[in-house]
Amino acid sequence: MIILKTDDEIELLRQSNLLVGRTLAEVAKLIKPGVTTRQLDKVAEEFIRDNGAIPTFKGFPNPYGGPFPASICTSVNSQVVHGIPNDEPLKDGDIVSVDCGTFLNGFCGDSAYTFTVGEVSAEIQQLLKVTKEALYLGIQNAVHGKRIGDIGYAIQNHCESNGYGVVREFVGHGIGKDMHEDPAVPNYGKRGSGPLLKKGMCLAIEPMITLGDRKVYLENDSWSVRTRDKSMAAHFEHTVAVGLDAADILSSFEFIEKVLGE
Ligand code: MG
Ligand code: MG
């Protein structure tokens, strides 16, 4: 069932999502060769709790194993999503996708950003650029009267025309009082297909894009998802509210980009 949100509820969602953006900016300040993803997780959890929110990912149940043990997902290089923070230092040339979720004033925030560590190759920089562009092309279609398939088509078309793989096994989602609500928001699809978009629908749009083949597998930790061919993967995510003329982006990369000097 798709739950439409009132304007007041959308403002509460915005507060939660802005906190995610500010948390990712705190993480961005620390990312450099030698730092561990566990250190990033510690800073993120403290920042979320200091701001009166709960990290929604921590303890999140898993049908395949134990609950998620951390407050952020940190997916390094060929990991696509759901990587578990650990004590392995990040290296020059790595990329790390950081996904963060908060629960504040009864509503969920959910946003993700792929960061570079030190100097990365032009090939990887291009993957990140195209994935972020695809996210915004998807968001342009989160408009009243369009359909879910219009979002997926825009993302898929941009990424595949650049030669990249679009992961099928994991998708975006509705979001509100629960982190995962209906509808599913695939990063692929046909124009004019799928559920009708209506003002007040709130969606997490999150392309997961691979430099090589799109096929992925679940690692032995029952969480981390990695490309089968070990090619690099990028993940950018915004939470948005469907609007009459344009989507309202509730999360924000502005805090991150200020830290990164972009
Ligand atoms: Mg997320
Ligand atoms: Mg999400």
Side-chain angles (χ1 to χ4, degrees):
M1 185 185 66
I2 297 174
I3 302 166
L4 299 181
K5 278 78 185 177
T6 65
D7 289 349
D8 287 347
E9 288 172 327
I10 288 170
E11 289 315 307
L12 292 172
L13 267 165
R14 191 190 314 277
Q15 293 310 314
S16 197
N17 277 283
L18 288 177
L19 178 57
V20 174
R22 289 168 56 216
T23 305
L24 290 172
E26 292 302 307
V27 169
K29 289 177 186 172
L30 301 173
I31 291 182
K32 62 179 181 190
V35 76
T36 69
T37 48
R38 199 184 303 279
Q39 289 172 295
L40 303 181
D41 178 56
K42 185 170 181 289
V43 165
E45 178 168 2
E46 283 177 5
F47 190 79
I48 292 167
R49 294 195 191 279
D50 285 350
N51 281 278
I54 294 167
T56 27
F57 293 1
K58 195 155 196 178
F60 199 80
N62 180 353
Y64 308 107
F68 196 75
S71 296
I72 52 173
C73 300
T74 52
S75 306
V76 178
N77 294 335
S78 60
Q79 287 181 326
V80 184
V81 286
H82 304 164
I84 299 175
N86 62 27
D87 295 316
E88 183 85 20
L90 294 170
K91 302 185 307 294
D92 189 38
D94 283 348
I95 53 174
V96 55
S97 300
V98 181
D99 196 345
C100 179
T102 54
F103 187 73
L104 177 68
N105 296 328
F107 284 87
C108 291
D110 190 7
S111 179
Y113 198 94
T114 302
F115 297 96
T116 56
V117 184
E119 291 293 317
V120 307
S121 69
E123 189 182 39
I124 295 171
Q125 286 178 30
Q126 183 67 9
L127 171 70
L128 304 192
K129 177 173 174 278
V130 168
T131 304
K132 199 197 273 188
E133 287 168 354
L135 169 61
Y136 286 107
L137 290 169
I139 290 171
Q140 280 177 17
N141 284 276
V143 175
H144 183 87
K146 289 192 175 251
R147 289 184 181 271
I148 284 288
D150 293 312
I151 297 173
Y153 173 83
I155 293 169
Q156 180 183 13
N157 183 51
H158 188 59
C159 294
E160 289 185 350
S161 67
N162 277 275
Y164 300 138
V166 176
V167 171
R168 300 293 201 275
E169 290 86 346
F170 297 86
V171 297
H173 48 91
I175 182 167
K177 290 179 177 169
D178 286 316
M179 186 163 65
H180 297 131
E181 295 184 357
D182 289 338
V185 186
N187 297 303
Y188 55 92
K190 291 192 171 61
R191 278 183 284 193
S193 71
L196 188 62
L197 299 177
K198 291 182 186 163
K199 182 182 182 300
M201 283 174 67
C202 293
L203 307 172
I205 301 176
E206 47 180 317
M208 297 157 231
I209 305 302
T210 66
L211 194 53
D213 192 83
R214 66 174 170 82
K215 294 202 181 66
V216 298
Y217 69 97
L218 186 64
E219 293 193 88
N220 288 336
D221 62 18
S222 300
W223 279 104
S224 313
V225 174
R226 193 182 289 278
T227 56
R228 275 198 216 166
D229 66 4
K230 303 293 195 312
S231 67
M232 295 279 181
H235 179 213
F236 288 89
E237 175 180 26
H238 269 315
T239 290
V240 310
V242 172
L244 285 180
D245 302 310
D248 184 359
I249 303 178
L250 305 177
S251 48
S252 175
F253 293 158
E254 277 177 34
F255 308 103
I256 299 168
E257 286 166 352
K258 201 171 166 198
V259 171
L260 300 179
E262 287 175 358

